[in-house]
Amino acid sequence: MSHIETASRTPQRAMPEHRGYLAVGFLTLLIVGTDLFVVSPLLPAMSRDYGVSTAAAGNSVTVFSIVYVIGAPWFGTLADRFGRRSVLVAGLAVFAVANLLTGLAPTFAVLMAARVLAGIAAAAVSPSVYALIGQTAPPARRGVWMSTVVAGFLISLVTGAPIGTLAAAAFGWRAAFVGLALLTAILVAVNAVAWRDAPAAPPVAAGDRLPVTVKVRAVSVTGLWAFAVYSLYTYLGTGLREEAGLPTGMVATALVIYGVGAVVGSLSGGRLADRFGARRVATTGLLVLSVLLLALAAAIHAPAPVLLVLLCLFAVAAYPCLPSYQAQLVSSFPAQAGSILAWNSSVMYLGTSLGAAAGSVLLAGAGFRAIPLVAAAVGLIGALVCGRFAISSARLT
């Protein structure tokens, strides 16, 4: 049992004045996540406005993700050197401008440039929020705090698409981005004030900067987790319709149940991590999600209630891993939390993209059932890496 894991279970209550940090972090990631997930239902309207195909409009999501993956590690290092609050506030200001520009873009080229800018800004915002929460959370409740802000992002997974659909129907697709710009502008002021008195992060000495090989090994767990989870999730609707034969209404219900299970899993994961140790919870979560992926592959033609229960269990089992492992990273690399969490966010997006690409190939070549089988294998590899290789024993003692 590691010294870190033992310390994380020491009873300790968060001071009341710290609760504001948690609320601000939750709301900030809720807005950033909504910006990402709100786009999908707006693509047909965007394509009509600019006279491009829906696939071309979908490239606005692709460029956002690419610049996020590339930019996050750089911004994380910048945050560790010059202050996480400064990078966060600046990133939010640019994020507000980027969303306003998206909503007002006169041409498709301007829209694409605005989404690139939004991706750059998000790369500065998300890792800085995680790092600030990690450094301000009481050590015995770090898992709960990390899981709460992650829940803000996961709730946007459930609410983003409906918000986009309603906004497009009532006011046009541009209103969704203008509204996000206004909310983000408010968050600029809120974050500037909220983090002003936050405890300072440990200084990073020149000799303490992490080698790239250490960072890659540490964050590889999150990449494997994201591949396992999102290779399935990306094509879940397709599989439930075409392979399981569920009607559209039942598919929508299944996706909502999945989203609720993800939020429940994330929140429970934090409490489990604080009690049993972050690395242990992350490793166990990867093992259990792999077993449930195999069960989903075997039961894809089972009655709808069985599938819905399995999906809910999968989401509840899968999503404790992310906040638990983030808490472990903060504990293991406190002075470099901004940098390591930025790399973690970048690798998560990369794993999500690779998982979606692999899922597309598997769906076309072998059918939907091959996706959970491959995802289960990746999840098992992730559990092995998490339990044995990701973070050296020197960091865990």
Side-chain angles (χ1 to χ4, degrees):
M1 186 182 299
S2 73
H3 170 73
I4 290 170
E5 290 176 346
T6 303
S8 70
R9 299 198 297 274
T10 303
Q12 182 174 342
R13 293 185 62 84
M15 295 298 291
E17 62 267 26
H18 290 167
R19 300 290 185 179
Y21 300 147
L22 191 56
V24 171
F26 175 91
L27 291 173
T28 301
L29 289 189
L30 177 63
I31 294 301
V32 172
T34 299
D35 178 87
L36 177 62
F37 297 117
V38 79
V39 176
S40 179
L42 304 179
L43 291 177
M46 293 165 66
S47 65
R48 287 194 300 270
D49 261 19
Y50 293 114
V52 299
S53 67
T54 302
N59 287 331
S60 62
V61 178
T62 303
V63 296
F64 180 103
S65 298
I66 290 173
V67 296
Y68 186 103
V69 168
I70 295 172
W74 185 79
F75 282 112
T77 301
L78 199 68
D80 284 340
R81 291 184 62 188
F82 299 106
R84 296 159 189 172
R85 171 177 170 267
S86 299
V87 171
L88 170 60
V89 172
L92 281 169
V94 175
F95 196 65
V97 171
N99 275 291
L100 183 62
L101 187 59
T102 300
L104 301 179
T107 66
F108 185 64
V110 174
L111 175 79
M112 291 294 284
R115 298 320 294 161
V116 169
L117 189 63
I120 293 171
V125 170
S126 297
S128 297
V129 171
Y130 289 132
L132 283 165
I133 288 294
Q135 80 185 47
T136 55
R141 292 178 60 78
R142 184 173 285 127
V144 169
W145 281 45
M146 296 299 289
S147 68
T148 300
V149 294
V150 169
F153 183 82
L154 293 177
I155 288 171
S156 69
L157 177 70
V158 181
T159 61
I163 288 173
T165 302
L166 292 173
F171 308 107
W173 69 267
R174 296 177 183 272
F177 292 103
V178 173
L180 284 170
L182 294 175
L183 290 173
T184 305
I186 295 172
L187 284 175
V188 172
V190 170
N191 277 272
V193 173
W195 302 107
R196 184 174 52 197
D197 299 321
V204 182
D208 290 338
R209 292 173 187 167
L210 297 176
V212 171
T213 53
V214 173
K215 293 178 181 178
V216 171
R217 188 174 69 179
V219 303
S220 60
V221 172
T222 299
L224 293 167
W225 170 84
F227 186 107
V229 171
Y230 288 101
S231 58
L232 175 75
Y233 180 76
T234 304
Y235 301 99
L236 183 57
T238 301
L240 291 176
R241 279 193 303 271
E242 298 180 1
E243 186 75 22
L246 299 187
T248 301
M250 187 64 71
V251 172
T253 300
L255 294 176
V256 171
I257 289 174
Y258 180 97
V260 172
V263 173
V264 171
S266 174
L267 291 173
S268 64
R271 296 185 182 279
L272 291 171
D274 289 335
R275 183 172 181 181
F276 298 108
R279 190 171 64 149
R280 182 178 298 169
V281 171
T283 303
T284 303
L286 284 161
L287 287 172
V288 175
L289 76 86
S290 296
V291 171
L292 288 169
L293 281 165
L294 294 175
L296 279 169
I300 191 63
H301 297 300
V306 174
L307 280 177
L308 294 181
V309 169
L310 281 175
L311 277 176
C312 184
L313 290 175
F314 171 75
V316 171
Y319 282 88
C321 181
L322 179 60
S324 299
Y325 196 68
Q326 285 178 319
Q328 181 65 69
L329 290 173
V330 172
S331 297
S332 300
F333 307 98
Q336 305 93 350
S339 175
I340 199 71
L341 289 174
W343 276 79
N344 197 57
S345 293
S346 182
V347 168
M348 183 179 70
Y349 269 76
L350 182 61
T352 299
S353 300
L354 292 176
S360 176
V361 172
L362 291 168
L363 186 66
F368 176 78
R369 291 183 68 179
I371 297 176
L373 294 176
V374 171
V378 173
L380 289 173
I381 294 171
L384 178 63
V385 172
C386 184
R388 297 291 182 182
F389 305 116
I391 300 174
S392 68
S393 59
R395 292 281 182 177
L396 293 168
T397 56

